[in-house]
Amino acid sequence: MNDDYRNDRVQNDRLQNDNVIIEPNKSPDTTMPMVVYALYLLSFVVGFTSVIGVVIAYVYRSKGPAWLDEHYRYQIRTFWIGLLYATIASILVLVAIGIPLLIALAVWMIVRCVKGFRGLQEKRAPDNVDTWLF
């Protein structure tokens, strides 16, 4: 009888208001944000993978803890800001300043992805999510 009481208590401790079972000490899955960062980096070789990455980020945002949602927000902003920078740099290639800007864009994208990977490993949101720089 005592074991039944203990099992019921453990089960009740796992229940939240919406009857969703929460596993204690279970860290959230960071696989999809890592895949998005990897797709962004892979876009240097295969150009369209960043589009797949931003679609994944849009689909998975608001489905995890706040720090993980910040990664998805960071990834979405990285895509759109990078697209804007790439468009401007591509136009400026005609006046020869665009090539150094495209190189700077590549460095910018790599730095943002590395910061994101590091934040995921440390189980925290990336620094300066709202910035247009790094």
Side-chain angles (χ1 to χ4, degrees):
M1 183 76 116
N2 194 11
D3 287 333
D4 290 338
Y5 173 76
R6 189 174 305 134
N7 289 337
D8 288 341
R9 169 125 185 186
V10 168
Q11 185 66 24
N12 286 336
D13 288 344
R14 290 183 182 172
L15 292 177
Q16 192 180 24
N17 293 339
D18 297 323
N19 291 332
V20 176
I21 295 177
I22 299 173
E23 296 295 327
N25 298 328
K26 184 177 180 186
S27 63
D29 187 16
T30 59
T31 304
M32 292 315 289
M34 284 188 182
V35 166
V36 174
Y37 288 123
L39 287 170
Y40 283 179
L41 293 174
L42 186 63
S43 70
F44 289 114
V45 179
V46 184
F48 64 89
T49 58
S50 60
V51 175
I52 296 168
V54 78
V55 169
I56 292 171
Y58 272 115
V59 169
Y60 279 88
R61 74 176 175 174
S62 301
K63 294 190 173 148
W67 67 269
L68 200 54
D69 289 341
E70 287 296 304
H71 276 280
Y72 290 123
R73 185 167 167 255
Y74 186 71
Q75 291 166 340
I76 291 167
R77 288 180 53 83
T78 298
F79 175 81
W80 289 113
I81 294 169
L83 184 63
L84 175 67
Y85 288 165
T87 302
I88 293 169
S90 297
I91 292 170
L92 291 175
V93 164
L94 299 172
V95 290
I97 194 171
I99 294 173
L101 290 176
L102 287 172
I103 293 169
L105 174 62
V107 170
W108 176 83
M109 179 71 89
I110 291 168
V111 168
R112 284 183 69 100
C113 288
V114 168
K115 282 179 60 176
F117 273 124
R118 190 183 73 209
L120 283 173
Q121 289 176 339
E122 296 172 358
K123 305 265 191 265
R124 63 169 180 76
D127 299 328
N128 301 327
V129 175
D130 292 326
T131 187
W132 283 60
L133 296 174
F134 300 107

